[in-house]
Amino acid sequence: MSLKGRPLPYAGRPRKPLSFARRRTVPGQKEPLGSGRRSGERSRGCTRLGARYRTSRSCKLYAALLQWGGAILRSDASSASPPRTARTHPMTEATALTPDELQELDDLLDDLRQRAEEIPQWEFCDGFLTALVCTRRCIPASDYLPMLLGDGAALDVAEGSPLPLLPAFHDAAQQARFMELWQRRWNEVEHQLDQPVETLEDERTFQPEAMDMRGAILSLPQEERAEMDGREIPSFGQVWALGFMFVVENWPEEWATPRDKEAAQWLDDALDGIVALTEDDTGQPEVCMYSEDGPPSTSLARVETFGEAIWAVYDLRQIWKSLGPRVEAVVKGDQPGRNDPCPCGSGKKFKKCHGR
């Protein structure tokens, strides 16, 4: 039985308690950030973003994974996947994506993949979307949509004008439906990240659409697992983190280190938390994030890393909200002296005319 074309259900929030307390604030912010740093320093060194990212798992790994990973475990009569559970959050019940709509997104991406092979799976898209929500400047869809689902070249679209049809979409209706679901998820992520949560057990906590692909595969019958022999299977949350870092790498000017040293350190620490999730889980498997009674597929250290990454997202969102958009330097041409004749030809001194 082939596994191709069968999507994984999403793991949602980890089952293990992750109640790291928040402690830090950004300059100008009275409320603490959702950093959740435990006592002690992270062993990972703080380096510049470019070097740090290039030494982590390359974002191009996702291209190999999506050839099979975004389409594993489609439900059928012989091997039914656990159903996605509806998420209910105060003030977001009307906008949060339902399990059926998440499945619709999977199916839509599968269809896009018929026309463009490198269309990523939804987990990657959700990490990509979350990073856009946290980015310092609001990046328009004409810039980010071709980067995610096209050739990477920004579209020349006047402000307020509709997006042209991307080649991957079958028609304008399909593209419009994707953008509708995308915006719903965007609104949900924004709302979750702006809630004053103190622990990851809070019902309002941000929930990445992360998968435990290893757990899903281990839950298959032996003959179906054999089809995956020799393949590199991503760790829990790894593809989501790769999607997040894809945005950081492609819009580096929006993630440039702030001048404030304390804010710069917090930014570096938070990005380290995301980068850590892009790496392989090499620990001893102890829990299954795919199902309650599934075979162990994820280490407890990985669950801790996942929790740290969630708090890192809160940090990044609040850092840029506190600092505001980047201020572009205005370069002026040569100016006449205050006592020079005004260039307008009035005969007056500059200081008495246009220099006032």
Side-chain angles (χ1 to χ4, degrees):
M1 179 178 177
S2 175
L3 298 182
K4 193 173 182 180
R6 302 175 61 181
L8 277 161
Y10 297 97
R13 198 172 64 229
R15 293 183 290 103
K16 298 296 180 181
L18 293 169
S19 55
F20 309 143
R22 303 189 303 171
R23 292 202 290 268
R24 299 182 310 191
T25 58
V26 167
Q29 286 279 327
K30 295 182 179 179
E31 295 299 322
L33 290 177
S35 63
R37 295 290 182 268
R38 294 166 291 173
S39 60
E41 294 292 328
R42 182 186 294 278
S43 59
R44 299 174 54 78
C46 296
T47 60
R48 294 189 63 83
L49 173 61
R52 183 205 302 111
Y53 181 61
R54 283 190 289 273
T55 58
S56 72
R57 300 281 294 175
S58 171
C59 195
K60 292 183 179 178
L61 170 64
Y62 95 90
L65 298 175
L66 64 86
Q67 296 299 324
W68 59 274
I72 297 176
L73 303 179
R74 185 175 301 281
S75 301
D76 60 18
S78 62
S79 179
S81 300
R84 290 170 173 161
T85 56
R87 297 160 298 172
T88 58
H89 298 282
M91 297 177 63
T92 61
E93 292 180 347
T95 60
L97 296 179
T98 67
D100 287 344
E101 287 169 333
L102 286 170
Q103 184 61 57
E104 181 183 352
L105 275 168
D106 277 340
D107 295 341
L108 194 154
L109 292 171
D110 280 345
D111 182 70
L112 266 57
R113 214 165 282 124
Q114 303 301 314
R115 291 174 290 278
E117 292 183 355
E118 293 194 352
I119 297 296
Q121 52 189 287
W122 175 245
E123 181 181 9
F124 185 95
C125 294
D126 191 70
F128 185 97
L129 181 152
T130 303
L132 290 174
V133 171
C134 296
T135 300
R136 189 169 190 175
R137 172 180 66 91
C138 182
I139 298 173
S142 57
D143 285 356
Y144 70 70
L145 197 61
M147 187 66 71
L148 180 65
L149 302 177
D151 59 7
L155 302 173
D156 186 13
V157 180
E159 186 175 355
S161 299
L163 292 173
L165 182 66
L166 267 65
F169 289 98
H170 176 68
D171 53 28
Q174 186 184 51
Q175 179 169 303
R177 178 57 175 166
F178 176 83
M179 293 306 297
E180 177 188 355
L181 297 174
W182 176 272
Q183 189 61 51
R184 293 256 305 279
R185 175 58 178 163
W186 184 298
N187 294 342
E188 181 184 12
V189 171
E190 270 193 336
H191 180 74
Q192 290 174 347
L193 292 178
D194 290 341
Q195 298 307 299
V197 299
E198 298 295 333
T199 77
L200 297 186
E201 297 170 304
D202 193 311
E203 288 292 327
R204 301 168 297 171
T205 299
F206 166 60
Q207 299 181 35
E209 297 289 357
M211 301 187 217
D212 179 12
M213 198 171 293
R214 294 179 180 180
I217 292 172
L218 288 172
S219 299
L220 290 171
Q222 177 61 40
E223 59 273 15
E224 296 187 32
R225 291 204 306 271
E227 297 186 32
M228 309 307 299
D229 289 347
R231 294 181 182 267
E232 185 177 8
I233 303 171
S235 304
F236 173 58
Q238 185 176 25
V239 176
W240 182 91
L242 287 169
F244 192 105
M245 292 306 300
F246 191 65
V247 170
V248 177
E249 184 181 62
N250 281 282
W251 285 277
E253 68 281 1
E254 303 304 333
W255 298 83
T257 303
R259 293 182 180 179
D260 182 273
K261 292 183 179 180
E262 191 175 9
Q265 184 64 55
W266 291 339
L267 173 66
D268 197 71
D269 287 346
L271 287 173
D272 271 344
I274 305 295
V275 170
L277 201 61
T278 69
E279 297 174 353
D280 281 330
D281 178 10
T282 58
Q284 178 65 35
E286 298 183 61
V287 296
C288 182
M289 306 303 291
Y290 174 74
S291 64
E292 290 285 344
D293 55 354
S297 59
T298 304
S299 69
L300 289 178
R302 184 65 171 194
V303 177
E304 296 282 337
T305 299
F306 185 69
E308 291 276 2
I310 292 177
W311 286 130
V313 174
Y314 278 95
D315 280 0
L316 294 168
R317 169 76 170 166
Q318 294 302 323
I319 286 171
W320 295 135
K321 284 183 66 177
S322 173
L323 297 178
R326 292 184 300 114
V327 177
E328 299 289 346
V330 177
V331 180
K332 296 183 178 180
D334 294 336
Q335 295 288 329
R338 288 177 52 77
N339 291 316
D340 291 341
C342 186
C344 73
S346 65
K348 298 180 181 179
K349 291 184 177 180
F350 180 66
K351 67 181 180 182
K352 296 289 186 180
C353 193
H354 283 81
R356 295 183 65 176

